[in-house]
Amino acid sequence: MYKEIKLRDGSSFSCEKDEIIFLDGYDKALTYFIEDNLHRLQSILVEQGGSLVYLPDLTRKILCSSSPQYYAPQIKGNISFDDLTKSMTEQLKQEIADVDFSAIRGAFIGSTDNCSMFLCVVEEWNNQLIESTILDFFEFCGSTRVMYSTIGLIDDYKEKKPEDFADDNFHHAIKILSDEIKSKVEELRSYGVSEYIIQSLFQEKQKISRLVITSDYKIILPDYNEMEIKMEPLPKAIYILFLRHPGGIRFKDLPDYRDELAYIYMNLTNRQDLSSIYKSIENVLDPTKNSINEKCSRIREAFISRFDERLASQYYITGIAGKKKGVLLDREHVVFKF
Protein backbone atom coordinates (compact mmCIF):
# COMPACT_ATOMS: atom_id res chain seq x y z
CA MET A 1 0.00 0.00 0.00
CA TYR A 2 2.82 2.39 0.85
CA LYS A 3 5.84 2.82 -1.36
CA GLU A 4 9.29 3.39 0.07
CA ILE A 5 10.80 6.21 -1.94
CA LYS A 6 14.33 6.86 -3.06
CA LEU A 7 15.84 10.30 -3.10
CA ARG A 8 18.02 11.47 -5.94
CA ASP A 9 21.77 11.04 -5.55
CA GLY A 10 23.22 13.76 -3.38
CA SER A 11 19.86 14.82 -1.94
CA SER A 12 19.77 15.93 1.67
CA PHE A 13 16.00 16.29 1.84
CA SER A 14 14.46 15.33 5.15
CA CYS A 15 11.40 15.97 7.23
CA GLU A 16 10.57 15.55 10.88
CA LYS A 17 9.30 12.13 11.90
CA ASP A 18 5.96 13.55 13.04
CA GLU A 19 5.27 15.30 9.71
CA ILE A 20 3.14 14.24 6.78
CA ILE A 21 3.62 16.27 3.59
CA PHE A 22 1.00 16.58 0.85
CA LEU A 23 2.20 16.84 -2.74
CA ASP A 24 -0.27 17.42 -5.53
CA GLY A 25 -0.56 15.38 -8.72
CA TYR A 26 -2.89 15.58 -11.69
CA ASP A 27 -6.15 15.76 -9.68
CA LYS A 28 -6.55 19.47 -9.02
CA ALA A 29 -9.88 18.86 -7.27
CA LEU A 30 -7.95 16.94 -4.61
CA THR A 31 -5.46 19.80 -4.28
CA TYR A 32 -8.29 22.32 -3.89
CA PHE A 33 -9.94 20.08 -1.28
CA ILE A 34 -6.73 19.92 0.77
CA GLU A 35 -6.39 23.71 0.49
CA ASP A 36 -10.01 24.36 1.54
CA ASN A 37 -9.93 21.88 4.43
CA LEU A 38 -6.35 22.33 5.51
CA HIS A 39 -7.02 23.71 8.99
CA ARG A 40 -9.43 20.88 9.84
CA LEU A 41 -7.09 18.21 8.48
CA GLN A 42 -4.15 19.70 10.33
CA SER A 43 -6.16 19.72 13.56
CA ILE A 44 -6.97 16.03 13.15
CA LEU A 45 -3.29 15.18 12.84
CA VAL A 46 -2.29 17.52 15.69
CA GLU A 47 -4.54 15.49 18.00
CA GLN A 48 -2.36 12.48 17.19
CA GLY A 49 0.86 14.38 17.82
CA GLY A 50 1.58 15.01 14.15
CA SER A 51 1.70 17.82 11.62
CA LEU A 52 0.33 18.10 8.09
CA VAL A 53 2.51 20.17 5.77
CA TYR A 54 1.01 21.73 2.64
CA LEU A 55 3.63 23.61 0.63
CA PRO A 56 1.53 26.65 -0.38
CA ASP A 57 0.67 27.08 3.31
CA LEU A 58 4.35 26.70 4.17
CA THR A 59 5.16 29.36 1.57
CA ARG A 60 2.70 31.79 3.14
CA LYS A 61 4.27 31.29 6.55
CA ILE A 62 7.76 31.87 5.19
CA LEU A 63 6.73 35.09 3.49
CA CYS A 64 4.81 36.30 6.54
CA SER A 65 7.29 35.41 9.24
CA SER A 66 10.69 35.57 7.60
CA SER A 67 12.20 36.50 4.29
CA PRO A 68 13.27 33.69 1.94
CA GLN A 69 16.62 35.49 1.90
CA TYR A 70 17.31 34.02 5.34
CA TYR A 71 17.68 30.59 3.70
CA ALA A 72 19.01 31.77 0.35
CA PRO A 73 20.60 35.18 1.03
CA GLN A 74 21.74 35.70 -2.56
CA ILE A 75 18.10 36.05 -3.74
CA LYS A 76 17.59 39.60 -4.96
CA GLY A 77 14.51 41.62 -4.11
CA ASN A 78 11.11 40.27 -3.17
CA ILE A 79 9.98 36.86 -4.32
CA SER A 80 6.30 36.30 -5.07
CA PHE A 81 4.07 33.76 -3.37
CA ASP A 82 3.40 31.93 -6.65
CA ASP A 83 7.08 31.80 -7.61
CA LEU A 84 8.17 30.51 -4.22
CA THR A 85 5.37 27.94 -4.04
CA LYS A 86 6.19 26.62 -7.51
CA SER A 87 9.90 26.56 -6.75
CA MET A 88 9.50 24.64 -3.50
CA THR A 89 6.97 22.18 -4.95
CA GLU A 90 9.05 21.42 -8.02
CA GLN A 91 12.20 21.13 -5.92
CA LEU A 92 10.59 18.58 -3.61
CA LYS A 93 9.28 16.54 -6.55
CA GLN A 94 12.76 16.54 -8.05
CA GLU A 95 14.21 15.24 -4.78
CA ILE A 96 12.15 12.05 -5.17
CA ALA A 97 13.83 9.92 -7.79
CA ASP A 98 11.28 7.26 -8.71
CA VAL A 99 7.82 8.88 -8.70
CA ASP A 100 5.99 10.45 -11.65
CA PHE A 101 3.61 12.89 -9.99
CA SER A 102 1.85 13.61 -13.28
CA ALA A 103 0.55 10.02 -13.19
CA ILE A 104 -0.98 10.09 -9.69
CA ARG A 105 -3.83 12.08 -8.15
CA GLY A 106 -1.74 13.26 -5.24
CA ALA A 107 0.29 11.77 -2.42
CA PHE A 108 1.39 12.07 1.18
CA ILE A 109 5.04 11.68 2.21
CA GLY A 110 6.15 10.55 5.65
CA SER A 111 9.38 9.62 7.38
CA THR A 112 9.85 6.56 9.55
CA ASP A 113 13.41 7.27 10.63
CA ASN A 114 16.39 9.22 9.32
CA CYS A 115 16.88 6.76 6.47
CA SER A 116 13.41 5.71 5.34
CA MET A 117 10.73 7.79 3.64
CA PHE A 118 7.42 6.47 2.34
CA LEU A 119 4.84 7.61 -0.18
CA CYS A 120 1.11 7.16 0.30
CA VAL A 121 -0.56 7.51 -3.11
CA VAL A 122 -4.15 8.76 -3.03
CA GLU A 123 -6.15 6.51 -5.36
CA GLU A 124 -9.73 7.26 -4.34
CA TRP A 125 -10.84 10.07 -2.13
CA ASN A 126 -13.69 11.87 -0.46
CA ASN A 127 -13.98 13.75 2.80
CA GLN A 128 -13.98 10.69 5.03
CA LEU A 129 -11.39 8.77 3.00
CA ILE A 130 -8.86 11.59 3.16
CA GLU A 131 -9.11 11.74 6.93
CA SER A 132 -8.63 8.00 7.32
CA THR A 133 -5.83 8.00 4.72
CA ILE A 134 -3.86 10.63 6.65
CA LEU A 135 -4.36 8.97 10.02
CA ASP A 136 -3.59 5.46 8.77
CA PHE A 137 -0.44 6.64 7.04
CA PHE A 138 0.69 8.56 10.12
CA GLU A 139 0.11 5.47 12.26
CA PHE A 140 2.08 3.36 9.77
CA CYS A 141 5.04 5.75 9.89
CA GLY A 142 4.94 5.78 13.68
CA SER A 143 4.74 2.00 14.00
CA THR A 144 7.84 1.51 11.86
CA ARG A 145 10.00 4.13 13.51
CA VAL A 146 13.18 2.85 15.06
CA MET A 147 13.75 3.84 18.66
CA TYR A 148 17.39 4.26 19.50
CA SER A 149 18.96 4.00 22.93
CA THR A 150 22.45 5.02 23.82
CA ILE A 151 24.68 3.82 26.58
CA GLY A 152 26.88 6.47 28.08
CA LEU A 153 30.56 5.74 27.77
CA ILE A 154 32.99 6.92 30.38
CA ASP A 155 35.90 8.73 28.80
CA ASP A 156 39.37 7.84 29.89
CA TYR A 157 40.25 10.09 32.76
CA LYS A 158 42.66 12.82 31.94
CA GLU A 159 43.89 15.51 34.22
CA LYS A 160 42.41 18.87 33.33
CA LYS A 161 44.82 21.76 33.19
CA PRO A 162 43.73 25.38 33.81
CA GLU A 163 44.57 26.35 30.21
CA ASP A 164 42.10 23.72 28.96
CA PHE A 165 39.09 25.50 30.51
CA ALA A 166 38.03 27.64 27.52
CA ASP A 167 38.71 24.80 25.10
CA ASP A 168 36.66 22.25 27.08
CA ASN A 169 33.70 24.64 27.33
CA PHE A 170 33.79 25.82 23.71
CA HIS A 171 30.97 23.72 22.24
CA HIS A 172 28.59 24.36 25.12
CA ALA A 173 29.27 28.07 25.36
CA ILE A 174 29.12 28.84 21.64
CA LYS A 175 25.66 27.28 21.31
CA ILE A 176 24.13 29.62 23.88
CA LEU A 177 22.20 32.32 22.06
CA SER A 178 20.98 35.62 23.42
CA ASP A 179 17.22 35.86 23.86
CA GLU A 180 16.97 38.32 20.96
CA ILE A 181 18.78 36.08 18.48
CA LYS A 182 17.08 32.94 19.74
CA SER A 183 13.70 34.59 19.18
CA LYS A 184 14.63 35.54 15.62
CA VAL A 185 16.05 32.15 14.71
CA GLU A 186 13.02 30.32 16.14
CA GLU A 187 10.48 32.66 14.58
CA LEU A 188 9.42 30.21 11.90
CA ARG A 189 9.08 27.38 14.40
CA SER A 190 6.51 29.39 16.33
CA TYR A 191 4.35 29.23 13.20
CA GLY A 192 4.62 25.44 13.12
CA VAL A 193 6.86 25.51 10.09
CA SER A 194 9.25 22.64 9.51
CA GLU A 195 12.81 23.93 9.48
CA TYR A 196 14.02 20.60 8.09
CA ILE A 197 11.83 20.95 5.01
CA ILE A 198 12.67 24.60 4.46
CA GLN A 199 16.41 23.98 4.70
CA SER A 200 16.17 20.99 2.38
CA LEU A 201 14.16 22.80 -0.26
CA PHE A 202 16.30 25.91 -0.20
CA GLN A 203 19.59 24.05 -0.27
CA GLU A 204 19.74 24.08 -4.07
CA LYS A 205 19.57 27.87 -3.99
CA GLN A 206 22.22 28.24 -1.32
CA LYS A 207 25.69 29.42 -2.28
CA ILE A 208 28.76 30.64 -0.47
CA SER A 209 29.46 34.37 -0.70
CA ARG A 210 32.81 36.06 -0.72
CA LEU A 211 33.68 37.84 2.51
CA VAL A 212 35.32 41.26 2.34
CA ILE A 213 36.96 43.12 5.21
CA THR A 214 36.90 46.73 4.01
CA SER A 215 39.50 49.42 4.66
CA ASP A 216 37.36 50.66 7.56
CA TYR A 217 36.96 47.11 8.92
CA LYS A 218 33.39 46.45 7.86
CA ILE A 219 32.49 42.80 7.19
CA ILE A 220 30.68 42.63 3.86
CA LEU A 221 29.23 39.62 2.00
CA PRO A 222 28.99 41.01 -1.56
CA ASP A 223 27.22 37.97 -3.03
CA TYR A 224 24.49 38.24 -0.40
CA ASN A 225 23.25 41.58 -1.70
CA GLU A 226 26.15 43.46 -0.06
CA MET A 227 25.08 42.26 3.38
CA GLU A 228 27.01 43.74 6.27
CA ILE A 229 27.68 41.55 9.31
CA LYS A 230 27.82 43.79 12.36
CA MET A 231 29.69 43.02 15.57
CA GLU A 232 31.02 44.87 18.56
CA PRO A 233 34.70 45.87 18.17
CA LEU A 234 36.26 43.14 20.32
CA PRO A 235 34.40 40.16 18.77
CA LYS A 236 35.13 41.67 15.35
CA ALA A 237 38.84 41.97 16.16
CA ILE A 238 38.91 38.33 17.30
CA TYR A 239 37.08 37.28 14.15
CA ILE A 240 39.55 39.08 11.90
CA LEU A 241 42.42 37.53 13.85
CA PHE A 242 41.09 34.02 13.14
CA LEU A 243 40.42 34.91 9.50
CA ARG A 244 44.07 35.87 9.14
CA HIS A 245 45.13 32.39 10.25
CA PRO A 246 43.59 29.76 7.94
CA GLY A 247 45.30 26.98 9.88
CA GLY A 248 43.42 27.90 13.04
CA ILE A 249 44.51 28.84 16.55
CA ARG A 250 44.48 26.81 19.75
CA PHE A 251 42.86 28.68 22.59
CA LYS A 252 45.78 27.92 24.87
CA ASP A 253 48.06 29.56 22.30
CA LEU A 254 46.05 32.80 22.17
CA PRO A 255 48.58 34.72 24.34
CA ASP A 256 51.06 34.28 21.46
CA TYR A 257 48.77 36.48 19.33
CA ARG A 258 48.50 39.33 21.85
CA ASP A 259 50.30 41.93 19.71
CA GLU A 260 48.44 41.03 16.51
CA LEU A 261 45.04 41.19 18.21
CA ALA A 262 45.98 44.48 19.89
CA TYR A 263 46.93 45.94 16.50
CA ILE A 264 43.60 44.91 14.92
CA TYR A 265 41.60 46.14 17.91
CA MET A 266 43.47 49.46 17.98
CA ASN A 267 42.62 50.09 14.32
CA LEU A 268 39.00 49.12 14.85
CA THR A 269 38.52 51.46 17.78
CA ASN A 270 40.93 54.23 16.77
CA ARG A 271 42.32 54.12 20.29
CA GLN A 272 45.98 55.00 20.74
CA ASP A 273 46.47 54.16 24.41
CA LEU A 274 48.24 50.80 24.17
CA SER A 275 47.95 50.08 27.87
CA SER A 276 44.16 50.33 27.71
CA ILE A 277 44.13 48.26 24.50
CA TYR A 278 46.06 45.42 26.13
CA LYS A 279 43.87 45.64 29.21
CA SER A 280 40.73 45.32 27.05
CA ILE A 281 41.92 42.17 25.30
CA GLU A 282 43.54 40.45 28.29
CA ASN A 283 40.52 38.33 29.29
CA VAL A 284 39.94 36.88 25.82
CA LEU A 285 43.60 35.87 25.63
CA ASP A 286 43.36 33.95 28.89
CA PRO A 287 42.46 30.29 28.11
CA THR A 288 41.56 29.70 31.77
CA LYS A 289 38.57 32.03 31.41
CA ASN A 290 35.36 31.79 29.39
CA SER A 291 35.67 35.19 27.69
CA ILE A 292 36.89 33.82 24.35
CA ASN A 293 33.91 31.45 24.20
CA GLU A 294 31.51 34.31 24.89
CA LYS A 295 33.02 36.33 22.05
CA CYS A 296 32.88 33.33 19.68
CA SER A 297 29.21 32.93 20.57
CA ARG A 298 28.55 36.58 19.67
CA ILE A 299 30.37 36.03 16.36
CA ARG A 300 28.16 33.02 15.61
CA GLU A 301 25.07 35.04 16.49
CA ALA A 302 26.09 37.81 14.09
CA PHE A 303 25.91 35.36 11.19
CA ILE A 304 22.96 33.10 12.08
CA SER A 305 20.81 36.13 12.82
CA ARG A 306 21.15 37.01 9.13
CA PHE A 307 21.01 33.63 7.36
CA ASP A 308 20.59 29.89 7.80
CA GLU A 309 23.15 28.06 9.92
CA ARG A 310 23.95 25.62 7.10
CA LEU A 311 25.56 28.57 5.37
CA ALA A 312 26.58 30.48 8.49
CA SER A 313 28.67 27.56 9.75
CA GLN A 314 31.16 28.32 6.98
CA TYR A 315 31.73 31.79 8.41
CA TYR A 316 31.89 31.68 12.19
CA ILE A 317 34.65 30.22 14.40
CA THR A 318 34.35 26.51 15.03
CA GLY A 319 36.47 23.50 15.89
CA ILE A 320 36.78 20.47 18.16
CA ALA A 321 38.06 20.12 21.70
CA GLY A 322 41.81 20.03 22.02
CA LYS A 323 42.34 21.14 18.43
CA LYS A 324 42.79 24.44 16.65
CA LYS A 325 39.69 26.57 16.19
CA GLY A 326 39.12 28.49 12.98
CA VAL A 327 36.83 29.72 10.22
CA LEU A 328 35.98 27.06 7.64
CA LEU A 329 35.48 29.48 4.76
CA ASP A 330 37.94 28.86 1.92
CA ARG A 331 40.35 31.78 2.00
CA GLU A 332 39.92 32.16 -1.75
CA HIS A 333 36.57 33.69 -0.76
CA VAL A 334 38.17 36.16 1.69
CA VAL A 335 39.39 39.61 0.70
CA PHE A 336 41.24 41.96 3.04
CA LYS A 337 41.22 45.59 1.96
CA PHE A 338 43.06 47.10 4.90
Side-chain angles (χ1 to χ4, degrees):
M1 180 179 181
Y2 304 128
K3 173 183 173 63
E4 185 171 4
I5 58 178
K6 297 179 181 179
L7 300 179
R8 65 175 177 80
D9 291 342
S11 173
S12 63
F13 175 76
S14 61
C15 62
E16 297 277 16
K17 295 178 183 179
D18 60 355
E19 291 175 331
I20 301 295
I21 308 168
F22 175 75
L23 270 181
D24 59 357
Y26 70 78
D27 191 341
K28 297 308 175 188
L30 172 59
T31 300
Y32 297 147
F33 175 83
I34 297 292
E35 173 86 34
D36 293 342
N37 294 273
L38 183 62
H39 180 71
R40 179 176 61 82
L41 296 173
Q42 287 176 328
S43 298
I44 291 171
L45 204 52
V46 166
E47 291 178 358
Q48 304 301 315
S51 174
L52 176 61
V53 178
Y54 176 59
L55 291 180
D57 182 53
L58 183 58
T59 302
R60 277 190 289 269
K61 290 173 178 175
I62 294 172
L63 293 176
C64 287
S65 63
S66 181
S67 168
Q69 279 85 354
Y70 183 79
Y71 293 95
Q74 78 278 5
I75 294 175
K76 297 183 183 297
N78 295 324
I79 185 169
S80 72
F81 169 79
D82 289 339
D83 287 344
L84 184 57
T85 299
K86 182 178 179 180
S87 173
M88 294 181 70
T89 301
E90 291 306 312
Q91 178 63 42
L92 179 49
K93 289 180 178 179
Q94 290 172 18
E95 298 294 307
I96 302 170
D98 54 352
V99 177
D100 179 6
F101 283 93
S102 66
I104 60 178
R105 290 180 178 275
F108 296 98
I109 296 171
S111 175
T112 58
D113 56 41
N114 289 334
C115 301
S116 300
M117 299 187 72
F118 282 82
L119 191 77
C120 172
V121 176
V122 179
E123 297 175 348
E124 299 294 335
W125 67 274
N126 56 40
N127 194 337
Q128 187 174 357
L129 276 176
I130 286 295
E131 291 184 16
S132 62
T133 296
I134 293 173
L135 290 174
D136 289 347
F137 184 49
F138 183 70
E139 183 179 356
F140 163 79
C141 290
S143 66
T144 56
R145 288 180 193 134
V146 178
M147 301 301 293
Y148 295 95
S149 64
T150 59
I151 300 175
L153 299 177
I154 300 176
D155 292 332
D156 291 336
Y157 173 80
K158 71 172 184 176
E159 184 180 355
K160 299 294 184 183
K161 298 178 181 179
E163 62 265 29
D164 292 328
F165 178 81
D167 188 63
D168 289 340
N169 286 278
F170 176 73
H171 281 290
H172 171 71
I174 199 174
K175 294 297 182 184
I176 299 175
L177 298 175
S178 68
D179 290 340
E180 179 184 359
I181 301 300
K182 187 184 297 183
S183 174
K184 183 169 184 176
V185 172
E186 293 182 348
E187 184 178 7
L188 284 175
R189 295 176 188 171
S190 69
Y191 286 80
V193 178
S194 168
E195 192 169 2
Y196 276 111
I197 296 175
I198 296 171
Q199 288 178 333
S200 298
L201 297 181
F202 272 99
Q203 188 178 34
E204 289 295 311
K205 297 179 178 63
Q206 291 183 332
K207 63 174 289 188
I208 298 296
S209 172
R210 293 164 294 157
L211 184 148
V212 176
I213 308 295
T214 66
S215 58
D216 55 352
Y217 290 88
K218 289 181 179 179
I219 302 172
I220 304 294
L221 303 177
D223 303 309
Y224 292 168
N225 296 295
E226 298 294 325
M227 180 187 296
E228 180 180 358
I229 304 298
K230 296 184 178 181
M231 303 177 195
E232 293 297 319
L234 187 50
K236 183 182 286 190
I238 293 167
Y239 184 66
I240 293 173
L241 173 69
F242 276 83
L243 272 182
R244 286 162 60 107
H245 294 275
I249 300 173
R250 289 186 179 89
F251 281 176
K252 65 182 180 180
D253 294 334
L254 279 170
D256 297 339
Y257 298 85
R258 178 179 281 100
D259 291 343
E260 184 178 357
L261 180 60
Y263 173 79
I264 298 169
Y265 188 57
M266 180 176 65
N267 282 281
L268 270 170
T269 58
N270 291 316
R271 291 163 58 182
Q272 301 301 317
D273 183 354
L274 284 177
S275 62
S276 68
I277 292 289
Y278 280 105
K279 185 176 180 179
S280 297
I281 68 174
E282 199 59 36
N283 281 341
V284 298
L285 294 172
D286 187 344
T288 69
K289 296 181 178 179
N290 204 47
S291 181
I292 182 62
N293 287 330
E294 294 169 353
K295 301 304 183 291
C296 286
S297 182
R298 300 294 83 77
I299 291 166
R300 174 174 173 260
E301 282 186 354
F303 286 100
I304 67 171
S305 67
R306 302 301 303 277
F307 50 88
D308 177 36
E309 186 153 11
R310 289 194 187 188
L311 289 172
S313 62
Q314 292 293 311
Y315 293 91
Y316 57 72
I317 297 169
T318 188
I320 61 176
K323 304 293 184 181
K324 292 181 178 181
K325 308 298 188 293
V327 178
L328 295 176
L329 186 65
D330 191 322
R331 292 312 188 270
E332 290 186 359
H333 288 84
V334 178
V335 178
F336 295 99
K337 291 192 173 181
F338 57 85

